[in-house]
Amino acid sequence: MTKRREFLLGAAAAATGTTLAAPYVKAQSPIRWRLQTYAGPALAEHVIKPSIDSFNKVAQGQMEIELYFADQLVPTGELFRAMQRGTIDAVQSDDDSIAAPVDVSVFGGYFPFATRYSLDVPVLFNQWGLREIWEEAYGEIDGVTWLSAGAWDPCHFNTKEPIRSLADLEGKRVFTFPTAGRFLSRFGVVPVTLPWEDVQVAVQTGELDGIAWSGITEDYTVGWADVTPYFLTNNISGAWCGSYFANTERWEELPDHLKELFRLCMDSSHYYRQHWYWGGEAKLRVEGTKMQLTSIPDEEWDTVEAAAHEFWDEIAAESERNARVVQILKDYNAAMAKAGRPYRYGKA
């Protein structure tokens, strides 16, 4: 009887402790993060907002992430430094656009002809070793933790005038990403850097002749299809490579269950984009009414791809780590070509 009484008293005490703990947890101030994306409001509705809404719902008041759009708090080109200083807590963007001070930043965004399809990006990171290289590179930088990479849409030109040959690109002022612009300048393209929200007006006023920043899904989603009536079906990359980053101190402060929740929400975002873009690119090419499709002949476009592989070797020469990434890209694309359909049709 004594042992039974002691057991019941212990159980009652444990139950009381549990009852008291719940109001205590709710009484704590929630952890608050400010996360800025590269995307404007219309695009963010797809590429990040659903996952952040889910995070805030599942976190049940323990943490809240405030989402900010392109250039809303900090210009995109200054995002890395702002995150490093703690001005903002997290970022969704590509390494290239936020001027990440790592050698591998050139592979963020659109590295020319590195990928054919959006699935290539997660496979390269999760099965071919890019994740470990990115963790190594960012591990050398104080204050910022790289968290995860995923795929977005392919890189096409949308322009005011039709592009039907390489000669038509000559002198065209185009909004694009830093490394993509560095490559495209070889073909007479004049890369232009502007705040994302100013791009559409710049096309209307003649400051820009076109855009090489997305596929056709974004052209319709953000309004660019209203001012650029031509869409070039040739692309310089099969998928944009973007990442999530966080201020290291703020990331390490999170309890493990909130870190895991954020990882799950990043994966949710990566998954959503895979089908949203894949379906959207096809549907709008077939059913879209705002843009006329144009193409550069394959034999002419082959010279662009050949130039891209020369560009790869130049990037590989910049650092030993870049050389490792380029070798992985070469090996991967060779394996995909050898695997054949549906992984690759024709040449790598």
Side-chain angles (χ1 to χ4, degrees):
M1 181 64 74
T2 301
K3 288 183 178 180
R4 176 176 171 79
R5 187 180 295 113
E6 289 173 353
F7 174 80
L8 292 173
L9 287 171
T16 302
T18 302
T19 303
L20 290 174
Y24 174 77
V25 168
K26 292 180 180 178
Q28 302 306 298
S29 297
I31 299 167
R32 294 192 183 278
W33 270 19
R34 300 199 299 176
L35 187 159
Q36 184 169 310
T37 177
Y38 72 97
L43 183 57
E45 284 289 333
H46 292 278
V47 300
I48 189 169
K49 190 174 183 297
S51 63
I52 298 302
D53 289 345
S54 294
F55 181 95
N56 289 336
K57 181 178 181 179
V58 178
Q60 295 185 329
Q62 295 178 41
M63 181 171 173
E64 183 176 347
I65 299 175
E66 298 171 359
L67 179 62
Y68 294 89
F69 307 123
D71 305 304
Q72 194 171 358
L73 294 179
V74 181
T76 296
E78 299 173 17
L79 276 174
F80 191 93
R81 297 301 183 191
M83 180 170 41
Q84 201 171 34
R85 292 192 303 267
T87 305
I88 54 176
D89 303 299
V91 165
Q92 181 206 42
S93 184
D94 67 284
D95 324 57
D96 202 21
S97 295
I98 64 174
V102 293
D103 43 10
V104 296
S105 66
V106 293
F107 301 104
Y110 290 120
F111 191 66
F113 293 93
T115 58
R116 294 280 174 175
Y117 310 117
S118 57
L119 276 174
D120 290 336
V121 174
V123 173
L124 281 162
F125 273 85
N126 295 306
Q127 297 184 24
W128 283 74
L130 292 196
R131 170 177 291 277
E132 290 77 11
I133 292 176
W134 259 244
E135 288 173 344
E136 172 192 301
Y138 284 95
E140 298 170 1
I141 304 296
D142 291 334
V144 170
T145 297
W146 174 85
L147 297 174
S148 178
W152 275 252
D153 50 343
C155 183
H156 292 262
F157 285 86
N158 50 302
T159 54
K160 295 169 69 174
E161 301 296 331
I163 304 295
R164 296 191 173 94
S165 70
L166 289 180
D168 291 336
L169 292 174
E170 186 73 34
K172 293 292 189 293
R173 295 159 298 179
V174 173
F175 174 69
T176 190
F177 294 86
T179 299
R182 177 178 164 186
F183 172 68
L184 290 172
S185 65
R186 299 176 179 218
F187 303 95
V189 172
V190 180
V192 178
T193 301
L194 289 170
W196 189 90
E197 62 184 6
D198 295 342
V199 171
Q200 186 162 336
V201 172
V203 174
Q204 292 172 300
T205 60
E207 186 179 351
L208 287 175
D209 300 304
I211 301 163
W213 203 84
S214 71
I216 200 169
T217 308
E218 288 189 13
D219 294 338
Y220 275 80
T221 300
V222 306
W224 292 342
D226 297 327
V227 297
T228 54
Y230 296 97
F231 179 85
L232 182 65
T233 60
N234 311 74
N235 67 58
I236 67 162
S237 179
W240 190 70
C241 176
S243 291
Y244 285 82
F245 310 82
N247 173 275
T248 299
E249 184 176 350
R250 295 290 278 160
W251 175 251
E252 292 178 349
E253 286 174 352
L254 293 185
D256 288 344
H257 71 287
L258 290 178
K259 286 181 180 177
E260 194 64 23
L261 176 58
F262 194 72
R263 290 189 184 100
L264 290 169
C265 287
M266 287 189 292
D267 285 344
S268 172
S269 175
H270 294 330
Y271 170 72
Y272 177 88
R273 292 191 313 272
Q274 286 281 347
H275 63 78
W276 184 63
Y277 280 120
W278 185 257
E281 295 300 303
K283 182 180 178 67
L284 288 168
R285 284 193 187 199
V286 174
E287 299 179 8
T289 59
K290 296 180 180 180
M291 306 183 84
Q292 179 182 335
L293 306 184
T294 66
S295 297
I296 294 174
D298 288 345
E299 59 273 15
E300 202 173 350
W301 196 248
D302 286 346
T303 66
V304 180
E305 186 167 355
H309 290 129
E310 294 175 3
F311 183 72
W312 288 15
D313 291 335
E314 293 174 18
I315 296 298
E318 293 179 355
S319 76
E320 180 274 336
R321 186 157 48 216
N322 281 3
R324 279 189 276 147
V325 175
V326 168
Q327 190 59 53
I328 287 172
L329 295 178
K330 289 180 177 180
D331 292 345
Y332 175 77
N333 280 283
M336 293 298 104
K338 189 174 181 179
R341 303 182 184 203
Y343 299 96
R344 293 293 184 270
Y345 291 77
K347 61 183 181 306

